[in-house]
Amino acid sequence: MPPDAPAPGAAAAAVRYRCRHVTRYAYGEPVTSSQLLAHLAPRPHPRQTVQGAALVLAPQPAVAVERLDWFGNPVTYAAVQTPHRDLTVTAELEVEVRVPAPSDPALTPAWEVVRDAAPALPETAEYLYASPRVPAPDEALAGFALPSFPEARPVALACLDLMHRINADFAFDPTATTVSTPVRQVLAQRRGVCQDFAHLMIGALRALGLPARYVSGYLRTDPPQGAPSWRGAAAGHAWVQAWCGTADGWLDLDPTNDVTAGLDHVTLGWGRDYDDVCPLRGVILGGGMHTLTVEVRVEPLSAAG
């Protein structure tokens, strides 16, 4: 099975979504030029088919180049050379999300077997080590992870247990952290948002020698009638992919909502941590102080069982 394939099983359902992500910057002084790098196009993979994607900037850029980054994610570079006091970036996309029939986590290999094999595999080696937002493995992170990883436990069961513990022991609090809050501070204060919980889980898994990567995406904005609301649905979302061995591939785990990623999860891309797939970053000349507003809407167009 390819490394990005879901667990074996026939597809259980599919939902087609329209997503709209609008970012607006308002500057206190004129900006003479802007250069932007956007990870705002969806990544095709076995669980997701891309039906269409468009990125519109106002003012219109003088240069716009689309390519794939090191990790295989679609990325756009744009340069705006028209002086401006406001900049709007609008991403619109349509995707179809599928979820395979569940497999049995108890049938995955023992976590030690996966750990020992991972360094030699090209699809996992770069997700084992420290990255800009996830510190080098240390005793604190390993100690936090170990209760979920007794000897010879199947790796998927252990990763699911770690996800459950993070969800149970950490409070979702948008005021507790910023994008720069260190993982060790999140571990100490037991509060944060989806990016924090994803980085924490990635760091804990890597501390035990298990590959883990950061996924950037969206959640369905309005849940079906009677279903609970998702945490993190108001803007971009983040979750984790944990490596469960060559036969089982990557397992998508959302510690913020204590679920495996399903029909309500739309993927933009993945990397070692947030820095690799930041939705929008750039540099400007001028501008002074600025305000930022972000609006995200993810709506189903159709569903099939």
Side-chain angles (χ1 to χ4, degrees):
M1 177 180 295
D4 292 331
V15 178
R16 187 168 179 171
Y17 287 103
R18 176 182 291 128
C19 309
R20 180 178 172 87
H21 183 159
V22 182
T23 305
R24 297 184 177 91
Y25 296 91
Y27 300 104
E29 302 291 338
V31 173
T32 57
S33 66
S34 299
Q35 297 187 58
L36 306 170
L37 196 66
H39 281 92
L40 289 170
R43 177 175 184 146
H45 61 92
R47 203 172 58 81
Q48 177 173 282
T49 301
V50 178
Q51 309 292 334
L55 187 69
V56 177
L57 278 71
Q60 184 174 344
V63 177
V65 179
E66 298 177 354
R67 61 177 177 84
L68 298 180
D69 67 12
W70 172 260
F71 303 98
N73 304 304
V75 61
T76 300
Y77 164 79
V80 178
Q81 298 176 355
T82 304
H84 53 280
R85 295 282 292 265
D86 298 279
L87 176 66
T88 301
V89 181
T90 303
E92 295 187 324
L93 56 104
E94 288 189 15
V95 297
E96 184 177 270
V97 177
R98 298 175 299 277
V99 175
S103 60
D104 188 349
L107 298 181
T108 56
W111 71 269
E112 298 96 333
V113 172
V114 174
R115 175 200 63 195
D116 294 344
L121 300 174
E123 62 265 43
T124 59
E126 65 186 331
Y127 300 108
L128 283 168
Y129 307 108
S131 55
R133 299 283 180 182
V134 179
D138 63 13
E139 292 184 1
L141 287 169
F144 173 71
L146 274 173
S148 297
F149 290 83
E151 183 178 355
R153 190 176 198 181
V155 64
L157 283 181
C159 291
L160 285 164
D161 185 74
L162 178 61
M163 177 184 72
H164 298 329
R165 289 175 49 222
I166 292 173
N167 183 266
D169 296 347
F170 288 72
F172 185 82
D173 183 354
T175 68
T177 58
T178 70
V179 70
S180 300
T181 300
V183 169
R184 293 185 182 93
Q185 181 177 332
V186 176
L187 178 60
Q189 69 187 21
R190 305 274 166 146
R191 312 182 76 81
V193 293
C194 57
Q195 290 89 349
D196 302 309
F197 303 151
H199 285 149
L200 173 66
M201 187 169 183
I202 290 168
L205 291 169
R206 290 180 187 169
L208 298 184
L210 293 169
R213 61 193 187 189
Y214 181 101
V215 186
S216 172
Y218 304 121
L219 282 169
R220 177 172 171 164
T221 305
D222 297 318
Q225 187 172 3
S229 297
W230 294 117
R231 289 176 173 175
H237 193 52
W239 61 95
V240 175
Q241 288 182 343
W243 179 251
C244 292
T246 303
D248 296 278
W250 295 95
L251 177 63
D252 286 73
L253 300 165
D254 181 352
T256 303
N257 293 291
D258 199 24
V259 295
T260 56
L263 286 176
D264 291 345
H265 289 72
V266 174
T267 303
L268 288 176
W270 53 66
R272 296 166 301 165
D273 60 34
Y274 172 85
D275 273 12
D276 288 334
V277 284
C278 174
L280 193 62
R281 66 180 356 135
V283 294
I284 61 173
L285 184 61
M289 300 295 291
H290 74 274
T291 58
L292 169 66
T293 59
V294 178
E295 300 172 8
V296 175
R297 189 78 185 166
V298 180
E299 298 177 313
L301 298 176
S302 63

